[in-house]
Amino acid sequence: MSQEIENKVVVITGASSGLGEATARHLAERGASVVLGARRSERIAALAEELSAKGHKAKAIQTDVTDQQQVKKLVDTPVNAFGRIDVMLNNAGLMPLAPLERLKVDEWDRMIDVNIKGVLYGIAAALPHMKAQKSGHIINVSSVYGHVVDPGATVYCATKFAVRALSEGLRKEVTPYNIRTTIISPGAVSTELLEHISEKDIQAGTKEFVSRIAVSADTFARTVAFAVNEPDDVDINEILFRPTAQPV
């Protein structure tokens, strides 16, 4: 499965680990040119070097998605180099779980900045180019927690519900420009996301649960590839997947 993926220019935020790294590998192996954005420059530089050594096309650009100008640079760079952007994967996210009563206000602010504003900045950077070329695909990452709310995850859930709302509004607005939109909502996946949880009791319990049921990040990468690989007249708007053993 690569006919529609080959030679596409794909920009990925949060590409230094987890879902973003797995997707970069998966799409590069199928012939896409991948542009990797993340704050940890050494991680994405090493990944780009590894992929390039295997004959794939990859470029790393240090990017903090809370900075609009950095996200714009992330997108403008491949457009200037290749003349287009085919896929924008807004993947960067944080999940510092805690009950509201613990008043982790700084973490609330950070989640809003990364999980919501980071997605908006990605849309803002990619949309003008995609409108001009009358094609493109914007993929936003929500979560199972964008469909249900659990105690202790309230603010995170709110940000992921917001991603779904933004994505549906985007879908309706960009139809005239032949731009596709996809929301992907993963359940428990083995990534570094749980390292963002500062409350040690919550982190320990969550890690124990996730370790028993989580699927690999390759599961997400295959889901992205499925949506991207459909022909241009097919728009896969939303995918929700969980480990078979996950009850929530």
Side-chain angles (χ1 to χ4, degrees):
M1 182 183 71
S2 61
Q3 181 178 353
E4 302 293 335
I5 296 174
E6 190 173 5
N7 297 321
K8 283 192 172 178
V9 178
V10 181
V11 177
I12 303 172
T13 65
S16 61
S17 65
L19 306 181
E21 179 183 359
T23 302
R25 294 180 187 279
H26 193 76
L27 296 184
E29 289 168 0
R30 282 148 185 81
S33 298
V34 294
V35 182
L36 315 174
R39 289 181 302 149
R40 294 180 291 185
S41 59
E42 71 287 349
R43 294 280 291 268
I44 54 174
L47 177 57
E49 184 177 347
E50 175 193 329
L51 293 173
S52 297
K54 294 178 179 178
H56 307 313
K57 296 178 182 178
K59 183 175 181 60
I61 302 172
Q62 184 176 24
T63 307
D64 182 341
V65 297
T66 67
D67 184 320
Q68 184 181 1
Q69 291 306 309
Q70 290 189 35
V71 180
K72 186 176 186 298
K73 178 184 176 183
L74 173 67
V75 172
D76 287 350
T77 299
V79 170
N80 292 335
F82 301 112
R84 69 187 196 280
I85 172 176
D86 297 303
V87 180
M88 180 72 196
L89 174 57
N90 290 307
N91 165 70
L94 297 174
M95 192 182 72
L97 303 178
L100 290 172
E101 66 182 355
R102 298 197 187 181
L103 301 179
K104 308 291 287 188
V105 177
D106 289 346
E107 293 183 355
W108 302 349
D109 288 341
R110 184 66 178 165
M111 273 191 282
I112 290 168
D113 286 344
V114 174
N115 296 359
I116 301 178
K117 292 171 70 175
V119 170
L120 284 169
Y121 292 161
I123 293 169
L127 191 52
H129 299 297
M130 292 182 177
K131 282 180 61 179
Q133 65 196 26
K134 292 292 192 295
S135 67
H137 192 168
I138 297 175
I139 303 175
N140 297 329
V141 181
S142 181
S143 168
V144 166
Y145 274 154
H147 297 256
V148 299
V149 179
D150 263 2
T154 302
V155 179
Y156 179 72
C157 293
T159 66
K160 292 304 185 177
F161 270 81
V163 168
R164 291 183 61 226
L166 290 169
S167 301
E168 176 60 5
L170 176 68
R171 181 189 70 80
K172 293 180 176 180
E173 292 184 14
V174 301
T175 299
Y177 308 110
N178 196 40
I179 297 171
R180 303 192 294 175
T181 65
T182 302
I183 310 162
I184 300 180
S185 298
V189 180
S190 295
T191 70
E192 296 179 4
L193 198 61
L194 303 185
E195 301 304 322
H196 302 147
I197 301 174
S198 62
E199 300 293 271
K200 296 306 179 185
D201 58 329
I202 296 172
Q203 185 186 60
T206 306
K207 280 187 171 181
E208 192 280 328
F209 169 73
V210 169
S211 67
R212 287 188 283 109
I213 67 166
V215 294
S216 75
D218 290 337
T219 308
F220 176 85
R222 293 194 302 271
T223 304
V224 173
F226 166 69
V228 172
N229 196 60
E230 286 299 293
D232 288 343
D233 61 346
V234 178
D235 195 4
I236 305 297
N237 298 130
E238 186 159 12
I239 301 172
L240 166 61
F241 74 89
R242 300 174 174 89
T244 304
Q246 182 172 344
V248 177

